């Protein structure tokens, strides 16, 4: 049974969008597994090979972007993509989040794709989906609290999933030879639903004998705990704070699982959580620093300190306030990223808003990929009401994905929260959505207020937006 695909004349889609998605998704994961061995091998590449590979990739990206993106063509100046080097990037302007928002239709390179169409996919899809040309559309509140809309093409997703998983895969194969009799169970503690990219990126069975189980990380913790208990995972991947909390539950005798490998992402991994994971399981931890714009910037190898930059697929530049690169030991005002796999929507010298510190010297794991220290970023603060804890994600999943909200700040009150939003959302609908998101935590909808404001004051020292302001802080 077929019906017209909404907003796309001449296309048909099966009546069950979830099943159609799962079939394509399954084919996509076959492509990821096929490419993983290549990506694992790159971890042992000598410096010169990394450099020559990424130079070719950079020329390819710039050449494509100049031809197919009016935005990038206008900014290329006298830089010739055919001969450009990594150092030449400094001759291009910095790309800002606000420009991405305002110039979306001039940046995207996929024929027939524009912001309105991408928004329509987000609004109309009943589950994760692929467009007829194989794009996935995601939205995110982002670390700055400003909503963005992103498109990833088919090949890009294959690369990003390999970047996210190759360190773990290398380590798994180093421990023991592949064995068809083995069974692995991966618990995936991510957003769990559209429009966030985290679930497709991390719900990946990297070997044929692995099964995955998605557990929404923003659910009340008692539910998460129950689900994890039922799954009995051998491997964990998820939001750093949730994995940390599971580790503390082990220490408290509330959970009994023994994962052999732990992967964390989406939030900075604090000392407190890292120590708890160490104490609970003593398992290798692969922390990941990423963004929906670039995908994956750096991943921990599970052995040495810090995170290895994905130097074959991402170019990071630490620059001063004027966008000029600074030396490894000099303080940087911003970190710029160029995503070499992002052809559908090229990000070139994109300001990530995070601060990174380079780690000197080689890693004990032997990889020549350079490292950054754990990225501190800003940690979302959970709200505590007496002995109840409400995760920031419960707010973020509503406010960060509403297309009519461009910025928000949540201020904790005695019995709920005061929410400031910039934009033109349907306020009663937002209050209702927050009410149902917070209801499981025991916070009544009546205690939530939402105000539309012109501007949200930023932290004076850093200029950053503080999205969550706990009571008394
Ligand atoms: Zn390493």
């Amino acid at each position: 049974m077929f019906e017209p695909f909404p907003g796309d004349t001449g296309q048909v889609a099966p009546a069950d969008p979830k099943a159609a998605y799962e079939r394509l998704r399954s084919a996509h994961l076959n492509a990821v597994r096929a490419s993983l061995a290549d990506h694992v091998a790159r971890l042992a590449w000598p410096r010169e090979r990394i450099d020559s590979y990424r130079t070719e990739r950079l020329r390819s990206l710039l050449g494509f972007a100049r031809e197919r993106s009016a935005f990038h063509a206008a900014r290329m100046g006298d830089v010739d993509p055919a001969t450009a080097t990594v150092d030449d990037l400094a001759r291009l302007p910095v790309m800002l989040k606000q420009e991405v928002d305002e110039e979306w239709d001039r940046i995207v390179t996929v024929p027939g794709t524009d912001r309105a169409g991408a928004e329509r996919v987000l609004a109309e899809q009943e589950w994760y989906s692929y467009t007829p040309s194989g794009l996935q559309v995601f939205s995110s509140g982002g670390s700055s609290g400003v909503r963005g809309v992103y498109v990833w093409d088919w090949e890009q997703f294959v690369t990003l999933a390999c970047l996210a998983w190759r360190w773990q895969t290398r380590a798994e194969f180093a421990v023991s030879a592949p064995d068809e009799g083995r069974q692995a169970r991966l618990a995936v503690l991510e957003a769990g639903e559209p429009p966030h990219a985290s679930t497709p990126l991390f719900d990946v069975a990297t070997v044929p004998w692995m099964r995955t189980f998605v557990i929404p990380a923003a659910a009340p913790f008692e539910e998460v705990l129950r689900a994890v208990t039922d799954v009995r995972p051998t491997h964990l991947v998820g939001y750093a704070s949730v994995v940390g909390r599971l580790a503390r539950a082990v220490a408290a005798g509330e959970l009994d699982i023994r994962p052999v490998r732990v992967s964390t992402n989406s939030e900075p991994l604090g000392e407190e959580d890292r120590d708890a994971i160490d104490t609970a399981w003593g398992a290798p931890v692969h922390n990941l620093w990423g963004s929906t714009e670039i995908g994956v910037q750096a991943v921990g190898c599970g052995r040495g300190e810090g995170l290895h930059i994905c130097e074959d697929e991402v170019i990071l530049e630490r620059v001063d306030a004027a966008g000029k690169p600074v030396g490894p030991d000099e303080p940087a005002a911003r970190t710029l990223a160029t995503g070499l796999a992002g052809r559908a929507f090229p990000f070139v010298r994109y300001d990530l808003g995070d601060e990174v510190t380079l780690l000197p010297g080689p890693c004990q794991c032997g990889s020549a990929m350079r490292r950054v220290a754990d990225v501190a970023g800003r940690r979302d603060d959970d709200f505590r009401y007496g002995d109840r804890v409400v995760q920031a994600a419960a707010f973020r999943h509503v406010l960060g994905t509403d297309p009519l909200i461009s910025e928000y700040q949540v201020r904790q009150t005695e019995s709920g929260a005061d929410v400031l939003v910039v934009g033109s959302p349907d306020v009663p609908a937002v209050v209702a959505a927050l009410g149902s998101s917070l209801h499981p935590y025991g916070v009544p909808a009546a205690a939530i207020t939402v105000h539309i404001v012109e501007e949200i004051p930023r932290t004076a020292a850093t200029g950053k937006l503080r999205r969550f302001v706990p009571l008394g802080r």
Side-chain angles (χ1 to χ4, degrees), residues 45-57 86 311-312 370:
W45 276 0
R47 189 70 237 166
E48 310 77 62
R49 183 149 182 208
I50 297 171
D51 288 344
S52 62
Y53 178 85
R54 71 174 184 166
T55 299
E56 296 299 344
R57 293 280 280 167
V86 170
E311 287 195 281
D312 47 342
R370 277 182 288 240

Side-chain angles (χ1 to χ4, degrees), residues 129-192:
S129 66
Y130 291 90
T131 68
S133 58
L135 296 176
Q136 295 177 84
V137 184
F138 299 116
S139 165
S140 150
S143 58
S144 65
V146 179
R147 177 178 178 272
V149 174
Y150 310 97
V151 289
W152 290 3
D153 69 39
W154 185 270
E155 284 305 320
Q156 178 184 5
F157 175 84
V158 172
T159 298
L160 299 183
C162 286
L163 298 185
W165 288 106
R166 60 186 177 175
W167 294 100
Q168 294 89 323
T169 306
R170 179 181 78 161
E172 293 279 322
F173 282 111
V175 171
S176 60
D179 171 3
E180 293 302 323
R182 283 169 76 187
Q183 281 200 355
R185 302 164 67 82
L186 173 69
V188 182
L189 297 137
E190 305 288 345

Side-chain angles (χ1 to χ4, degrees), residues 167 170 299-306 308 362-367 369 371:
W167 294 100
R170 179 181 78 161
V299 185
C301 61
R303 289 180 61 187
E305 202 192 324
H308 288 271
C363 181
Q364 54 178 278
C365 78
S367 176
M369 303 265 180
R371 288 174 298 159

Side-chain angles (χ1 to χ4, degrees), residues 388-433:
R388 294 194 310 263
V389 178
V390 176
Q391 292 168 36
F395 291 98
R396 192 169 55 210
H397 284 178
V398 173
L399 301 168
T401 57
D402 187 324
L404 301 175
I405 294 178
S406 58
E407 266 189 4
Y408 65 90
Q409 182 176 60
V410 187
R411 300 174 175 183
Q412 186 182 5
T413 60
E414 288 291 344
S415 56
D418 227 332
V419 182
L420 305 183
V421 298
V422 178
S424 52
D426 177 346
V427 170
V430 172
V431 172

Side-chain angles (χ1 to χ4, degrees), residues 61-321:
L61 178 78
L62 294 180
F64 188 83
R66 191 179 62 177
E67 261 340 275
R68 292 292 174 86
S69 163
F71 174 85
H72 286 296
R75 295 156 64 97
M76 213 69 79
D78 62 353
V79 172
D80 178 4
T83 56
T85 63
V86 170
D87 290 342
D88 288 330
L89 275 176
R91 291 158 61 196
L92 300 178
V94 171
M95 188 173 173
L96 299 171
K97 178 137 202 159
Q98 193 187 347
E99 293 173 305
V100 171
D101 191 48
E102 290 166 0
E103 307 269 358
W104 209 98
D105 290 354
R106 294 180 66 240
I107 298 171
V108 71
T109 66
V110 183
T113 301
D114 59 13
R115 173 71 176 258
E119 293 280 13
R120 204 157 52 234
V121 169
L122 289 174
E124 293 177 358
Q125 70 180 0
E126 292 170 36
W127 188 243
Y128 288 110
S129 66
Y130 291 90
T131 68
S133 58
L135 296 176
Q136 295 177 84
V137 184
F138 299 116
S139 165
S140 150
S143 58
S144 65
V146 179
R147 177 178 178 272
V149 174
Y150 310 97
V151 289
W152 290 3
D153 69 39
W154 185 270
E155 284 305 320
Q156 178 184 5
F157 175 84
V158 172
T159 298
L160 299 183
C162 286
L163 298 185
W165 288 106
R166 60 186 177 175
W167 294 100
Q168 294 89 323
T169 306
R170 179 181 78 161
E172 293 279 322
F173 282 111
V175 171
S176 60
D179 171 3
E180 293 302 323
R182 283 169 76 187
Q183 281 200 355
R185 302 164 67 82
L186 173 69
V188 182
L189 297 137
E190 305 288 345
E193 59 180 23
H196 310 272
S198 64
T199 307
L201 187 59
F202 298 112
D203 175 18
V204 173
T206 47
V207 287
W209 58 86
M210 181 179 273
R211 282 182 66 197
T212 66
F213 303 84
V214 175
I215 300 167
F221 190 67
E222 290 67 34
E223 282 178 27
V224 171
L225 204 53
R226 253 198 315 276
V228 171
T229 302
D230 290 346
V231 164
R232 290 174 288 109
T234 58
H235 295 69
L236 282 180
V237 62
Y239 291 178
S241 64
V242 179
V243 174
R245 198 158 170 206
L246 287 174
R248 281 190 287 280
V250 168
E254 297 161 6
L255 178 67
D256 180 19
I257 57 169
R258 295 177 183 82
V260 297
R261 193 167 301 287
V262 173
S263 305
T264 54
N265 55 64
S266 302
E267 296 168 329
L269 176 62
E271 274 306 310
E272 188 188 342
D273 291 326
R274 195 183 268 280
D275 290 348
I277 292 167
D278 229 40
T279 307
W281 302 307
V285 177
H286 300 265
N287 187 28
L288 179 147
W289 171 49
S291 59
T292 320
E293 291 91 331
I294 303 297
V296 182
Q297 287 107 234
V299 185
C301 61
R303 289 180 61 187
E305 202 192 324
L307 316 173
H308 288 271
I309 301 168
C310 306
E311 287 195 281
D312 47 342
E313 299 291 346
V314 179
I315 297 171
L316 286 187
E317 296 172 88
R318 295 171 64 256
V319 299
D320 62 19

Side-chain angles (χ1 to χ4, degrees), residues 4-52:
F5 195 70
D8 197 1
T9 50
Q11 296 289 336
V12 289
D16 182 352
K18 201 162 177 172
Y21 168 75
E22 290 301 339
R23 285 195 298 273
L24 264 182
R25 163 88 181 155
S26 171
H28 219 172
L29 292 184
N30 288 129
V32 172
R33 284 189 287 272
S35 296
L36 255 175
D38 163 44
H39 277 271
V40 169
R42 296 186 195 181
L43 303 179
W45 276 0
R47 189 70 237 166
E48 310 77 62
R49 183 149 182 208
I50 297 171
D51 288 344
S52 62

